[in-house]
Amino acid sequence: MAQTDIDEGLYSRQLYVIGHDAMRRMGQADVLIAGMRGLGIEIAKNVILAGVRSVTIQDEGVVEWRDLSSQFYLKETDLGQNRAMCSEKQLSSLNVYVRVSAYTDKLTEDFLKQFQVVVLTNSSMDEQLRLGKFCNLNKIKFIVADTRGLCGQLFCDFGDSFEVRDTDGDAPVSAMISHISKGNPGIVSFTDEESHEFTDGMFVTFSGIQGMTELNGCAPIEIKVRDKYSVTICDTSGFSDYEKSGVATEVKQPKIFNFKPLDVALKEVLRDPEVLEMTDHGKRERHLSLHLAFQALHIFFKNNSRIPSPRSQADAEQVVKITKELCVTTGFNELDEDVVRKLSLSASGDLAPLNAFIGGLAAQEVVKACSGKFTPLRQWLYFDALECLPEDEEVLTEEACAPRDCRYDGQIAVFGSAFQDKLKRQKYFLVGAGAIGCELLKNFALIGLGAGEGGNITVTDMDSIERSNLNRQFLFRSQDIGRLKSEAAAESVRSMNPYMNIIAHQNRVAPETEQVYTYSFYGQLDGVAAALDNVDARVYLDKCCVRSKKPMLEGGTLGSKGHTLVVVPHLTESYGPSSGGQKAIPLCTLKNFPHRIEHTLQWGRDQFEGLFKHTAENVNQFLSDPAFVDRTVARGDVEAVEVLEGVYRSLTQEQPQNWTDCVGWARRQWETLYNNDIRQLLHCFPPDQVTTSGLPFWMGAKRCPHPLTFDTNNVTHMDFIVAGANLYGNIYGIKGSRNRAEIQSILHGVKVPEFVPKSSLKIAVTDEELKESYEEKKDEDMVKLKMLQEKLSKLRLSVRNVRMHPQEFEKDDDNNFHMDYIVAASNLRAENYDIPTADRHKSKLIAGRIIPAIATTTAVIAGLMCLELYKLVQGHREIRFYRNAYVNLATQYFVLSQPCQSPKFTVAGKRYSIWDDFLLRGRLGGPEEMTLEELLKHIKEKHNLTVTGLYYGPAVLYSDLSNHKDRLKLSISELVRSVTKEIPDHQEMLEIVPSFAEDEDCVDVPPIRYLIR
């Protein structure tokens, strides 16, 4: 299906990564991907999801058993059939806008002419050189990708003059101006709220400047950083005097990259480190050795018409010999023979996680080649995960790794059949079936995780599938929209591997579901994988894993950036507590002193929630819960007054009877927000106001606003009225209208009350002043609350049949007026304060708190997580084998680092970590539960520690300083109930924090984990 313009509903999350212009260029690109084994299908899947014009998949070969180890669209019934033909239908269903076709003949130069990008996988060196030369001469972008066992290779040639319009994809840097000097060069100073992010050599444009207007809309000007709060620009001595306001915004400059053809780059990489991108900075020599070893594999294949056999020492020695000969001809003298040997021993392997990683990178290079967005790979990349091999490789014999004519042959060739059986017996808990969750489940199915007797995967996700998910959550199709993610994902991976034992849940993993995910539930697991999109959920899951001493794999993405973390009991640090998250915007900034579009958008979102959600919910609670008013009054604060006033107004003077009333409400609301409130603020703080220090009040981050005058011919003014009136009608069940002519006619009859600013009103300038004003008004608020209580008790009898309809914010529905209202509300307030406005796309990102996402990064992160999974299943106990990762696919930035060890602390001279505890079973071989006295005795006898205090949450269970002798004969359960009243029926373990006489001052102590069931 041809795409006339970008389908923002489908591509919304990707658009925040790539942008509209780059997406349009991608929509004109035709891509060839040759080789439909595991790596080729991974690249094709990601490129199709990204949204190029067409993808042609080519393969002359037929399906073999080992293909099923990593090719997720092949089935056992496809054995002996052409790989491309078997894959075409499934790939076509990924994206209706991308034309997918299969080609089964040899690649000819004439055939290649129709493509802008050619990708080769599973190809010979002769073919790579022949087609690479043709592509270079004909300005066709050329990519070679290959994986062999645990090693991967990637090469790019985009021609001798490839223009990149945006090298990093980061949002342009901007800063608010406080002053511009006249001089050569002119000095631009920024508000001192925080330091600017400009760097030398950046180009900027200016907007919204009052006074020195010559700079507004000028051609991009190069800057030099002067200090944290200022930069220098061009000669401004002949310009007008600067008065106030203005924003400097970075303009991304195009950059030209030069590539060498494959035949030249093959030799160049050994001389020029600039053409080798490092994925692990501790492996430079190893990567150069792999460069020659991959060439040796091609020579071996040419000589023997086959790849080296699994774990064949004879074949490995032959590959080492060929590599040494290449060292002589190239002058390379830093060969790592061990890595060459290991590559050969596992070269016949085909691993899904490695294909996910290299395939994600290769697909991202296709995106760069088609769009001119992001820094391309220059020109070689090598990667190995040889740490996944068992510590004792002697268990890997030719017999153990020989093919079995089964779907896991490509994996058995690397790890042996015994490891495959171990994978099948694993019990794993996957939390999240979104983008990363889908990729993990695909990998789990291909490697056979939990796919045997005694093994299983439990996946939970409470969300349903939305259309915007389809662009990167590739297990779902359009017919799945509305279905639960966990159920649809489980069904999809069962079709990939019918032997999968997978259980789908729809629960949030949080304290409220501890009756489902109990201590014993975690206890029977082998590990946990976190595919979550928020920090709080990760922190909670991490606590559960630490408590149960289970490993956790964690990964996340943000556009082209991604990270992975492996948590290994008694070895690494855990995910740890939340660092606090995003910095909150001060209330006074939102209420009266915004200076960034983020401030006006948050204000608009708050307006939406307050007017169309919270007030309606409060009204419904008032009507259904007789204790609601008393409970609210008891709070006795400013918020309680606002809540009850809102309820009263909504059921009296502000309750509309018809559509005309809704339009009238919206018009009066407009006047209040954009005229009256601003006039009141300027009455309290006039434009020429000065502080007690003699400085202008309106300076720096405080932008002096101006009131707006309503105009029915102004599109944004009418956008606000249309959205506001319809939303107001919705909460009262009144049918609205989009007919602007009709609404304009109604507006002519709306009476807007006259407004006179109040001299008695005080406006807080800081959050501290705001808190003080609340305290000062406390007595006044209590009087108001009592009056409201009386009014509402009388009102309740007359409004029993009213039911309001709160609006739950949904950013992805373009017909519900939610984003219409927020965009208009925000941009009108931005106009009040001379802040550059934001279009709907940007507003949706900020107000909707959208996490930008793209399928390539997701695939890469899931691949890296599953490589760590191999190590966990192997049972590696040395921290040097594990890797945490941070990647940025936009800039080819890779950091793979050894995890940090779990921090230690000392109690009474003995070393402990977060993984240690005092585990006690409440019933030791009998029906009677342990008493407090027995617990104290047990700790003393077993650990030689004298308990002086026991704490359960905030409650004190025992203290040797208090008269707690009467508690000694109580069972631990009775003791806890005596303090906390009850223990939930599902709770199996009590976590009790002790203190000890031997070390009273220690801050950290291992908890007592007491099993009551």
Side-chain angles (χ1 to χ4, degrees), residues 38-39 66 69-71 147-151 346 348-357 385 388-389 408-415 419-420 443 446-447 867 870:
L39 180 58
R66 74 186 186 103
S69 294
S70 65
Q71 219 283 29
T147 57
R148 298 289 175 183
L150 286 161
C151 301
S346 61
S348 59
D350 197 8
L351 301 176
L354 195 74
N355 286 330
F357 177 72
C388 295
L389 291 169
Y408 307 115
D409 275 356
Q411 189 162 257
I412 290 171
V414 179
F415 297 117
F419 181 75
Q420 186 61 55
N443 291 338
L446 292 169
I447 69 176
L867 289 172
Y870 282 146

Side-chain angles (χ1 to χ4, degrees), residues 679-746:
R679 287 167 59 196
Q680 179 65 60
L681 181 62
L682 291 172
H683 181 76
C684 294
F685 304 108
D688 57 359
Q689 176 93 3
V690 294
T691 67
T692 53
S693 305
L695 295 172
F697 177 85
W698 295 106
M699 67 176 292
K702 289 190 181 72
R703 302 175 75 90
C704 185
H706 62 273
L708 305 182
T709 302
F710 185 74
D711 180 2
T712 55
N713 295 315
N714 185 298
V715 174
T716 311
H717 294 197
M718 286 302 295
D719 286 346
F720 179 91
I721 299 297
V722 173
N726 275 279
L727 287 168
Y728 203 64
N730 287 347
I731 62 174
Y732 284 98
I734 295 171
K735 184 175 172 54
S737 168
R738 290 179 182 272
N739 187 323
R740 295 201 170 209
E742 175 198 309
I743 293 169
Q744 284 176 327
S745 176
I746 295 171

Side-chain angles (χ1 to χ4, degrees), residues 706 708 714 717 826-835 837:
H706 62 273
L708 305 182
N714 185 298
H717 294 197
S826 168
N827 282 340
L828 287 167
R829 189 162 175 82
E831 190 180 340
N832 278 139
Y833 286 86
D834 294 313
I835 298 168
T837 58

Side-chain angles (χ1 to χ4, degrees), residues 44-273:
K45 176 257 290 180
N46 293 327
V47 171
I48 290 166
L49 289 172
V52 296
R53 179 164 59 192
S54 76
V55 170
T56 300
I57 54 173
Q58 183 271 348
D59 201 316
E60 299 172 65
V62 297
V63 179
E64 304 168 7
W65 274 112
R66 74 186 186 103
D67 295 331
L68 273 64
S69 294
S70 65
Q71 219 283 29
F72 42 85
Y73 286 150
L74 297 180
K75 297 178 171 54
E76 293 180 19
T77 53
D78 295 327
L79 289 166
Q81 299 180 56
N82 179 272
R83 282 187 289 257
M85 296 302 294
C86 292
S87 307
E88 180 185 10
K89 183 177 178 183
Q90 292 268 39
L91 288 172
S92 296
S93 68
L94 286 171
N95 191 336
V96 294
Y97 295 114
V98 180
R99 187 174 69 253
V100 179
S101 57
Y103 184 73
T104 59
D105 291 335
K106 284 187 180 299
L107 294 176
T108 65
E109 294 175 353
D110 281 344
F111 183 70
L112 261 58
K113 287 179 181 176
Q114 61 186 298
F115 303 104
Q116 285 76 54
V117 184
V118 169
V119 184
L120 298 187
T121 71
N122 192 36
S123 56
S124 69
M125 178 61 75
D126 289 343
E127 186 175 45
Q128 292 172 15
L129 289 167
R130 176 174 64 87
L131 299 181
K133 183 178 181 180
F134 174 82
C135 289
N136 183 270
L137 291 172
N138 288 273
K139 301 191 183 305
I140 298 169
K141 282 69 174 181
F142 181 66
I143 298 170
V144 175
D146 201 2
T147 57
R148 298 289 175 183
L150 286 161
C151 301
Q153 173 194 56
L154 188 59
F155 169 78
C156 293
D157 171 16
F158 293 172
D160 59 4
S161 182
F162 179 71
E163 183 180 75
V164 174
R165 293 167 172 82
D166 180 354
T167 57
D168 57 18
D170 292 339
V173 176
S174 67
M176 197 167 62
I177 298 166
S178 62
H179 185 261
I180 305 174
S181 71
K182 292 176 73 170
N184 186 15
I187 298 172
V188 181
S189 301
F190 302 110
T191 57
D192 58 3
E193 185 186 56
E194 54 189 42
S195 58
H196 67 74
E197 297 176 355
F198 294 112
T199 57
D200 281 343
M202 277 186 177
F203 285 76
V204 301
T205 56
F206 296 92
S207 60
I209 294 173
Q210 294 184 33
M212 198 178 282
T213 54
E214 294 89 344
L215 286 173
N216 287 331
C218 66
I221 297 172
E222 187 174 0
I223 62 168
K224 285 188 178 178
V225 174
R226 191 165 168 265
D227 55 35
K228 291 195 296 184
Y229 302 105
S230 64
V231 299
T232 59
I233 54 171
C234 60
D235 182 358
T236 59
S237 54
F239 293 172
S240 311
D241 288 339
Y242 173 82
E243 293 175 12
K244 63 177 181 176
S245 300
V247 175
T249 305
E250 177 196 7
V251 178
K252 298 288 183 84
Q253 297 297 297
K255 186 174 180 180
I256 302 297
F257 291 90
N258 303 308
F259 291 80
K260 295 177 174 65
L262 177 61
D263 58 339
V264 176
L266 271 169
K267 301 165 188 171
E268 189 76 16
V269 68
L270 297 171
R271 296 190 297 268
D272 182 4

